[in-house]
Amino acid sequence: MGLRELKKEQTRTLIADTAWRLFADRGFDAVRVAEIAREAHVSEATVFNYFPRKEDLLYSRLEAFEERLVAAVDSRSPDESVLGAVRNFLLAPAGLLAQVEAGDDEAVVRLRTVNRMVADSPALRAREQQAIADATAALAARLTAEKSAASRGGAVGVTAYVAANALMGVHRALIDLVRQRALADESPDRLAADVRAYGAEAFALLSQGFANYGVRPPS
């Protein structure tokens, strides 16, 4: 990395860290971009050069999720299913949950803080859903390309889209679980293990298919 690129990365990190601190202190909606710029000693235009939308300041650390998800699917072994690759990627210990599981008290505070911010902000919840939708579309496009089964006009194949939505549905459900538990202050030391357990159960259901799901036993 050259000196120019290093300086840009340092500025980007400074702005993001400043934003996170202000958001944690006062809430996302109460902080203006102008305040973030002033605290970071940069212009407001500089903030928007790095983060086109205010919501991007909070989600900047998660922006590589889509790329890493697709990379996990691409790099799977020849005998591994897409379901297996996505399951291993989503359930691997990482981020704040891994730090919480390791006993990091500061990580517990950060986990609760960020989930409180998202829960309290319609703009952040919308941004989160858009990020998940983008990742789902990217996964569906990759599955379509692998199967060479695109519809007329190069559209994403229906089967690939259904599969991607089912797989990412597990991700959405686990996000909801983490948020509910984090805000309820329920046994953070058990949260990561519970996420893996519920995630494994959900992926097991997908692996078996839905043919018998919800069938009622004879009365």
Side-chain angles (χ1 to χ4, degrees):
M1 181 182 294
L3 183 60
R4 179 181 176 83
E5 289 75 18
L6 178 60
K7 182 175 178 57
K8 290 176 65 175
E9 185 60 31
Q10 290 173 338
T11 301
R12 179 183 177 85
T13 300
L14 171 63
I15 294 171
D17 288 347
T18 301
W20 270 68
R21 175 170 54 82
L22 293 175
F23 292 155
D25 288 343
R26 294 163 48 201
F28 177 81
D29 292 330
V31 177
R32 295 182 295 112
V33 174
E35 297 175 78
I36 297 169
R38 185 167 59 250
E39 287 285 329
H41 303 292
V42 298
S43 69
E44 192 171 348
T46 297
V47 175
F48 283 116
N49 284 339
Y50 286 94
F51 305 96
R53 294 181 295 177
K54 181 183 174 184
E55 293 83 2
D56 296 334
L57 286 158
L58 185 66
Y59 283 100
S60 63
R61 302 179 185 188
L62 306 177
E63 63 186 5
F65 173 82
E66 178 184 316
E67 295 179 3
R68 291 188 289 113
L69 171 65
V70 173
V73 171
D74 284 344
S75 62
R76 72 188 189 279
S77 61
D79 59 344
E80 183 179 20
S81 68
V82 172
L83 184 148
V86 174
R87 178 190 60 217
N88 293 338
F89 172 74
L90 292 180
L91 301 186
L96 282 176
L97 279 183
Q99 296 171 33
V100 169
E101 188 173 36
D104 187 337
D105 291 337
E106 291 185 3
V108 174
V109 174
R110 291 197 301 274
L111 182 70
R112 289 173 179 157
T113 298
V114 69
N115 278 286
R116 172 60 64 190
M117 278 192 285
V118 175
D120 290 344
S121 173
L124 287 179
R125 293 199 303 274
R127 177 67 173 81
E128 180 179 75
Q129 292 304 311
Q130 184 59 56
I132 294 174
D134 290 344
T136 303
L139 178 58
R142 185 52 52 96
L143 298 183
T144 297
E146 282 194 1
K147 296 295 185 180
S148 299
S151 304
R152 294 188 187 93
V156 174
V158 171
T159 303
Y161 190 72
V162 169
N165 270 277
L167 294 169
M168 291 302 295
V170 178
H171 182 49
R172 287 191 293 270
L174 294 180
I175 289 175
D176 290 342
L177 170 66
V178 170
R179 184 156 301 143
Q180 178 183 8
R181 290 274 295 273
L183 298 183
D185 198 23
E186 295 182 10
S187 54
D189 56 318
R190 285 288 311 162
L191 183 53
D194 288 344
V195 165
R196 288 193 295 270
Y198 285 120
E201 183 178 339
F203 280 114
L205 171 63
L206 293 185
S207 70
Q208 297 163 8
F210 288 94
N212 297 314
Y213 178 70
V215 174
R216 296 177 178 177
S219 59

